[in-house]
Amino acid sequence: MIDINESVMQFLLALIVAGPLLGAAAALLPAPPGLKGTSPEQAVLRHGVMVTGAILVAAIALAVGFDHDHPSKMQATTDISWIPALDVRIHLGVDGISLPLLVLTALLTFLCALYSYFNPPKGPSPKAFVALLLVLEAGTLATFAALDLILFFLAFETVLIPMYFLIARWGGEGRTRAASKFILYTLLGSVVMLLGLLVIGVTAGTFDMMALATDNGRSLSTSVQVIAVLAVGIGLAVKTPMWPLHSWLPDAHTAAPTVGSVLLAGVLLKMGTYGFVRILLPVAPDGFHSFAPYLAAFAVVGIVYGSLACLALAKRGAKGDLKRLVAYSSVGHMGFVLLGIASTTPTGVNGALFANVAHGLITGLLFFLVGALKDRTGTTDLDTLAQQTGAALYGKAPRLGGLLAFAAVASLGLPGLAGFWGEMLAMFGAFDPAAGLSRPAFLTFTAIAAFGTLLTAAYLLVVVRRVCMGVIPQDAPRLADVRAYEFAAWIPLVVLTVVAGLWPKALLGLTDPAVQQLLAGGTR
């Protein structure tokens, strides 16, 4: 491990959080500083690549300098008084739980900016697009670094407006309705969540998340914890998204531009599950324990519902949209994350955190691939795709077909790839839940979740068969294979999916000590 001074670590974390905001402001200037291009549009898109690239480098440097021998310790902390009357502070820090999500966010945002530079989204001026992309990155990174409840809420809300405009201005058919549905659902959930956060902060006398975690609910009565978990949990469940609060997600994904879908699935959904782990588990353990069986029940319903919806969309003649199918798959995959959290065991919570990262890598890659198919064929309708490709993507564009098949088998949880470990550990956690939770109930939930894995395999294999396998018609149009910039944007996700699958300790070694301490009732 390379020894990096704590002040340097603090600077890196501050740069990671504030850098995208400064970059967003610079993107709106008449000409981004120090950048030249054949056109103003190219210059601002290059600016987006440069800023997100710098943030990714800073995130990697933070990960290298992180004390991997003590991942449960909050590191690179900054604590500055912001609103003294309410004792609200700019309190930032990173531990083994938040570090992987920070790096994942920085990576996916950079890959989206790189992809957009070579394949600009169709819509208004790129200036606004780049600025919104950077504001979205800043809000997400701040959410994973915030250690004050009010700061967490503000960062949590910051992402809503840029995502709304990315869908509404650069999206496809039905974008206005989808964007409105997205903002209404998430704003209503956030209002309820804010009330819950205020209940916690006012009752406990502090909004500091580290102090609240160390207190472990001792300053909150059981009734207050129940109210707080219900209110905060609803807001987090909408963002996750948990069945039955998920209905905004398929419309948002279907209408969003490619990079919008990648970030929505790869990053924004993780904010909800992260809030369950970072806030509710340590701050209101008794209240969370009361709701854990219900959370697990909703989770497994989401697993089966999402899989059945995907299977229905994958059927021949069902007019299934491939992008919508991948969106519904997220409902099922995030169900495994919620099931692991609901078990309140180290195994289950570690599995949930692993599945979070794996889902970001795999589903981000899937949305990139679906976007590439739409660029080449003009559609994501499965029947139309099968007709245009002759269901023979392997023959017409073998690299593209191979990557689609790889992403599909990774998503269904093939052993040796990242998608396997998170779901398996989540089910192991539910198989033997924490003391006080009904073992028969959680055994039932585990069995239902295991059935969901079979459904997941079924619909993904149907998709691969319908799109990739077949005989190329003689009159079939040519189809471009993977381009160089697409390789550059996608290969990091492929490599990390394989590395995480073959070497899960790289991630679990970070999360496990932090989870053990969090569940034991404290943080340092």
Side-chain angles (χ1 to χ4, degrees), residues 200-248:
I200 293 173
V202 171
T203 305
T206 181
F207 291 101
D208 186 274
M209 290 161 64
M210 292 180 67
L212 288 166
T214 302
D215 182 70
N216 200 222
R218 285 183 284 270
S219 60
L220 303 175
S221 66
T222 301
S223 58
V224 169
Q225 289 190 38
V226 168
I227 293 170
V229 169
L230 181 61
V232 177
I234 288 174
L236 296 174
V238 170
K239 187 68 70 71
T240 296
M242 181 186 76
W243 181 92
L245 304 174
H246 69 283
S247 61
W248 61 270

Side-chain angles (χ1 to χ4, degrees), residues 32 53 106 112 114 139 170 176 191 224 265 293 326 345 433 448:
C112 285
L114 181 66
W170 286 271
T176 302
V191 169
V224 169
V326 178
T345 63
I448 296 172

Side-chain angles (χ1 to χ4, degrees), residues 107-130:
L107 173 65
L108 285 177
T109 311
F110 169 70
L111 296 180
C112 285
L114 181 66
Y115 185 84
S116 299
Y117 176 73
F118 292 98
N119 186 16
K122 298 176 177 63
S125 167
K127 279 182 174 290
F129 175 83
V130 171

